[in-house]
């Protein structure tokens, strides 16, 4: 069982930056696929970025490529999402999710097993 706790959500203006944190407990993030999803009101949940902590491979949605960076800190058992050049369309609840599996599973975007409670990001124009 992996418990995930997100933090770092806030309200910022267009062009601003935020760093979200996903702190894991109950399981070492050594060979785990950790993903960030987001969901805006009235919209479907969207996968934003994911990382395979076993090798550091990362994957991004086209909508955030070049602006968002996912990274890991194994010593802190934490995964981060650095978000730069934020746009109003980035406004959403952001969720951290994890799947214990292979790098292949991570690359193919297999559904996570564990979810956090979410942190709100609001970008105003």
């Amino acid at each position: 069982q992996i418990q995930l706790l997100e933090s770092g959500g806030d309200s910022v203006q267009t062009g601003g930056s935020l760093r979200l944190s996903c702190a894991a407990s109950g399981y070492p993030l050594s060979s785990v696929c950790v993903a960030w999803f987001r969901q805006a009101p009235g919209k479907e949940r969207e996968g934003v970025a994911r990382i395979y902590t076993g090798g550091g491979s990362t994957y991004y949605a086209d909508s955030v490529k070049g602006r968002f960076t996912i990274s890991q800190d194994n010593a802190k058992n934490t995964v981060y999402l650095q978000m730069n050049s934020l746009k109003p369309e980035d406004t959403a609840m952001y969720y951290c999710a994890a799947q214990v599996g292979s790098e292949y599973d991570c690359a193919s975007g297999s559904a996570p097993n564990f979810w956090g409670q979410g942190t709100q990001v609001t970008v105003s124009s």
Side-chain angles (χ1 to χ4, degrees):
Q1 191 83 355
I2 304 177
Q3 290 81 44
L4 302 169
L5 181 63
E6 304 96 332
S7 62
D10 205 343
S11 295
V12 297
Q13 292 190 326
T14 297
S17 297
L18 284 174
R19 188 178 78 159
L20 306 184
S21 298
C22 173
S25 59
Y27 196 92
L29 292 182
S30 55
S31 294
V32 176
C33 186
V34 180
W36 285 97
F37 290 81
R38 65 186 180 187
Q39 188 165 23
K43 294 189 176 181
E44 291 189 356
R45 187 173 63 200
E46 174 190 19
V48 174
R50 57 190 188 275
I51 184 169
Y52 185 70
T53 61
S57 298
T58 57
Y59 311 89
Y60 296 94
D62 287 343
S63 57
V64 306
K65 273 181 186 175
R67 300 188 299 122
F68 290 11
T69 302
I70 190 170
S71 63
Q72 64 188 91
D73 185 333
N74 288 347
K76 295 183 178 180
N77 223 36
T78 298
V79 167
Y80 302 99
L81 185 68
Q82 177 67 43
M83 305 188 295
N84 298 328
S85 302
L86 283 162
K87 306 174 181 179
E89 51 263 44
D90 294 318
T91 295
M93 183 71 78
Y94 282 71
Y95 298 91
C96 176
Q99 178 201 34
V100 178
S102 68
E103 185 165 6
Y104 176 82
D105 291 334
C106 197
S108 62
S110 296
N113 308 107
F114 307 99
W115 291 83
Q117 295 299 307
T119 186
Q120 178 68 38
V121 172
T122 302
V123 185
S124 58
S125 57

